[in-house]
Amino acid sequence: MKFVFSEIAQGFRRNLSMVVSVVLVTFISLTFVGTASLLQMQIGQMKNYWYDRAQVAVYMCSDVSASDVCPQGEASDDLKAAVKEKLESKTLSEYIDKYYFEDHEQAYKTFQDQFEGNAVAKYVTANQLNETYWVKLKDSTQSQIITESFTGVAGVEEVRDQRSYLDQIFSILNAASLAAIGIATLMLFSAALLISTTIRLSAFSRRRELGIMRLVGASNFYIQLPFILEGVMAATIGSVLAGGAVLAIVQFFVQGYLAERLPFTSFVGLTDGLLVVPMLIAAGIVLAALASGLAIRRYLRI
Amino acid sequence: MISISNVSKQYKGSPRPALNNVSLEVEKGDFVFLVGASGSGKSSLMRLMLREDVPTKGSVHVLGENLVGIPSRRVPFFRRRLGVVFQDFRLLPNKTVAQNIAFSLEVIGKSQGFIQEAVPEVLRLVGLDGKADRLPSELSGGEQQRVALARAIVNKPALLLADEPTGNLDPSTSQDIMALIERINLAGTTVIMATHDRGIVDRLKKRVVELKDGEIIRDQVGGSY
């Protein structure tokens, strides 16, 4: 064992610059992997949070609705009552958690709150805003039922699932995390190549010892072990740094910056970060062991 | 001890075989000189006995191992049972004499206790006591070859393969080295020695196997060059 460690120390000293580059490349690529997986976790959390709150809006016809869907103009009280009756009917009510009706005045108030200070708020009148039945489903994925029941019904202008807005946001976030994973894969590949080059260089600079070791009958495992450990140790340093970087991002950027500015969103925390770190370190170690093991085997066969 | 039968070795890109239908039997305790011009096949034969190469045809048995069929993970364990010396000594330049010998014991997993006992003992045997802490560059050629011999026999091998061990040494130093190898042989170790040195072969009157163009043309007990 003493021999093995002195060999590793010698190897590190002999090609320090290569070892440093292995450390850096694994550090950066695993930081990408860690960030991408945290982003995936974040998307999952936000989906849970927002999908739970997503409602289906049944917009009733107003004076300004297009005449092809609303030929009768403003929906009459009878038509509104018909929609309400249908929402309370046996077939639909078992899917619905709760619903409420928003009339012109309430819609106007919500609109003014949302667009306070915006020029558009001055020009909008209460009559231009739809009266709406907001429906909260027990299972927000079943919005299809409401859409099918009310689309085309007299007095209904449009049925809209809020999830369709959310899906756009999530697909953007998803694309970002996929891009990060793509970059990370590419970098991990180059890290593997770099590790195997480093190991081959290290073996070349020790070819005299290697020749003598084989001559006196050192087992293959004994010959290869220092090289594999050299790669693994360099990669471990890189992955520990990457783990630290991921935790720092969670602590200082997500919790310290984002969470303070967006108080109504739940963000990934240190517990999620601590879940990712061992994964990163394990990935770094496995990658390095495979890359250096293959490199030294190929080198020794020749 | 060694049984080589009908062995041929053809290297890629070479028109004629390095060894052509060679058969050789060596008994325990024998001392055999392999002689012949450069390119006659001596080194090829040594490489086969060390299992650095496998023959194209024929079979090689050394120390009870079938070297053609032996799985590569068993090769290191086979090599621990024999000693090898070369013309160029093959010592590690940045390790002292004692460390060079200890290294070959460390890498096969011997205990520190064993190493501390075996190294001074073998250095005394080859006449190098007192030089344990020298670097190879501070030694003469003859002394370096003694270190190489010490390393080869520290494990008490049953077989010593010597590939022109005196090739880089002057005649009187060569005699000292040969005296040492003879002593190793008298202690029971079988010796196979490839050499160009006519004087040594003629003086020792041992079994001589002569190779020419990859074939054995003479196998004579008590022969000369």
Side-chain angles (χ1 to χ4, degrees):
Chain A
M1 267 299 116
K2 207 184 89 199
F3 162 78
V4 171
F5 284 114
S6 76
E7 285 289 300
I8 298 170
Q10 267 188 35
F12 268 32
R13 239 174 295 135
R14 233 177 295 208
N15 34 37
L16 189 67
S17 62
M18 291 298 272
V19 171
V20 168
S21 60
V22 168
V23 169
L24 287 180
V25 170
T26 44
F27 166 39
I28 294 169
S29 54
L30 287 174
T31 306
F32 264 89
V33 173
T35 317
S37 38
L38 279 177
L39 192 50
Q40 280 293 340
M41 284 170 140
Q42 179 66 47
I43 292 171
Q45 271 193 21
M46 282 166 75
K47 267 188 179 160
N48 276 338
Y49 183 89
W50 288 112
Y51 277 3
D52 261 9
R53 281 157 187 74
Q55 296 174 329
V56 183
V58 181
Y59 293 112
M60 304 307 291
C61 290
S62 70
D63 285 340
V64 292
S65 299
S67 60
D68 53 336
V69 280
C70 295
Q72 76 285 9
E74 170 87 15
S76 66
D77 287 348
D78 283 352
L79 291 174
K80 284 185 266 185
V83 169
K84 186 179 161 118
E85 198 176 313
K86 202 166 180 185
L87 282 171
E88 281 179 354
S89 71
K90 228 184 190 141
T91 33
L92 286 183
S93 63
E94 62 176 303
Y95 296 108
I96 293 169
D97 184 21
K98 58 186 182 216
Y99 75 92
Y100 66 93
F101 181 68
E102 188 183 49
D103 63 17
H104 287 306
E105 284 308 316
Q106 287 164 335
Y108 182 69
K109 199 166 171 298
T110 316
F111 189 88
Q112 291 296 339
D113 282 349
Q114 272 179 354
F115 291 92
E116 201 183 341
N118 195 318
V120 75
K122 289 182 198 158
Y123 302 109
V124 167
T125 62
N127 278 352
Q128 290 172 320
L129 297 169
N130 296 80
E131 293 184 305
T132 312
Y133 280 99
W134 288 101
V135 181
K136 174 90 182 73
L137 292 165
K138 282 176 180 156
D139 177 356
S140 64
T141 58
Q142 291 175 324
S143 63
Q144 198 77 26
I145 296 166
I146 303 295
T147 315
E148 278 167 9
S149 306
F150 291 103
T151 305
V153 168
V156 173
E157 186 182 351
E158 195 190 359
V159 182
R160 184 121 213 183
D161 182 1
Q162 284 184 321
R163 292 192 354 147
S164 62
Y165 300 116
L166 293 174
D167 282 341
Q168 284 176 12
I169 299 169
F170 288 137
S171 71
I172 291 169
L173 284 176
N174 215 10
S177 85
L178 285 181
I181 287 173
I183 295 171
T185 313
L186 215 64
M187 292 187 69
L188 283 178
F189 182 65
S190 73
L193 289 182
L194 194 64
I195 289 169
S196 68
T197 311
T198 307
I199 293 309
R200 228 171 302 171
L201 240 142
S202 185
F204 184 75
S205 70
R206 269 184 258 169
R207 62 195 181 284
R208 215 183 157 83
E209 279 101 324
L210 286 178
I212 291 168
M213 282 166 93
R214 298 174 75 185
L215 213 61
V216 299
S219 63
N220 287 334
F221 177 75
Y222 202 89
I223 295 176
Q224 291 168 9
L225 191 64
F227 293 98
I228 295 175
L229 286 181
E230 187 180 327
V232 166
M233 278 171 96
T236 307
I237 296 171
S239 26
V240 167
L241 287 176
V246 166
L247 288 181
I249 288 171
V250 170
Q251 179 65 25
F252 297 113
F253 179 66
V254 177
Q255 292 295 340
Y257 181 85
L258 283 182
E260 274 180 18
R261 273 151 193 82
L262 301 167
F264 295 111
T265 314
S266 89
F267 282 105
V268 288
L270 274 185
T271 19
D272 301 297
L274 286 174
L275 217 69
V276 171
V277 170
M279 216 176 69
L280 293 183
I281 294 176
I285 289 173
V286 169
L287 180 85
L290 286 179
S292 48
L294 280 177
I296 192 67
R297 284 188 102 134
R298 277 189 56 192
Y299 181 85
L300 285 181
R301 202 180 305 148
I302 300 163
Chain B
M1 172 78 24
I2 296 177
S3 168
I4 294 169
S5 58
N6 308 106
V7 159
S8 296
K9 177 71 194 175
Q10 174 85 50
Y11 289 106
K12 267 188 198 122
S14 154
R16 111 196 137 69
L19 291 171
N20 189 10
N21 204 24
V22 167
S23 295
L24 180 66
E25 297 282 332
V26 178
E27 298 303 320
K28 186 167 166 37
D30 272 3
F31 193 126
V32 179
F33 283 118
L34 283 181
V35 301
S38 297
S40 59
K42 300 192 301 289
S43 290
S44 296
L45 199 54
M46 295 292 261
R47 285 172 60 82
L48 292 183
M49 288 188 277
L50 247 177
R51 181 52 173 75
E52 286 203 270
D53 233 331
V54 284
T56 318
K57 262 206 319 259
S59 71
V60 180
H61 286 81
V62 176
L63 298 173
E65 292 276 5
N66 173 9
L67 294 191
V68 181
I70 187 172
S72 53
R73 76 191 142 73
R74 285 243 310 275
V75 171
F77 299 94
F78 160 71
R79 288 198 186 133
R80 289 176 194 185
R81 295 165 55 207
L82 47 87
V84 208
V85 286
F86 296 93
Q87 184 173 5
D88 57 359
F89 319 135
R90 301 204 186 169
L91 302 175
L92 294 169
N94 53 346
K95 288 194 192 314
T96 66
V97 168
Q99 284 169 346
N100 259 289
I101 297 165
F103 176 78
S104 69
L105 293 171
E106 279 164 11
V107 298
I108 63 173
K110 294 282 187 195
S111 72
Q112 281 301 318
F114 177 87
I115 293 170
Q116 272 162 23
E117 249 175 61
V119 172
E121 190 189 309
V122 78
L123 282 178
R124 204 159 37 245
L125 197 70
V126 298
L128 281 178
D129 35 353
K131 302 212 162 149
D133 296 328
R134 302 285 189 83
L135 287 173
S137 55
E138 299 165 351
L139 300 178
S140 71
E143 287 169 329
Q144 289 188 47
Q145 192 59 289
R146 282 170 195 269
V147 178
L149 271 167
R151 184 180 64 195
I153 62 169
V154 69
N155 251 334
K156 309 209 172 0
L159 172 66
L160 176 68
L161 295 177
D163 196 355
E164 303 193 30
T166 60
N168 273 345
L169 306 176
D170 63 65
S172 88
T173 315
S174 293
Q175 273 195 25
D176 295 343
I177 292 295
M178 284 319 297
L180 185 54
I181 293 177
E182 265 196 283
R183 254 192 18 237
I184 293 166
N185 175 237
L186 284 175
T189 301
T190 310
V191 177
I192 313 273
M193 174 170 158
T195 186
H196 281 301
D197 195 323
R198 178 181 295 269
I200 288 172
V201 179
D202 290 346
R203 191 161 38 76
L204 264 65
K205 300 247 177 309
K206 302 286 189 186
R207 178 176 168 194
V208 176
V209 172
E210 185 174 357
L211 284 151
K212 186 170 187 257
D213 298 334
E215 289 177 42
I216 292 181
I217 55 168
R218 175 164 66 112
D219 187 348
Q220 179 185 16
V221 178
S224 56
Y225 195 87

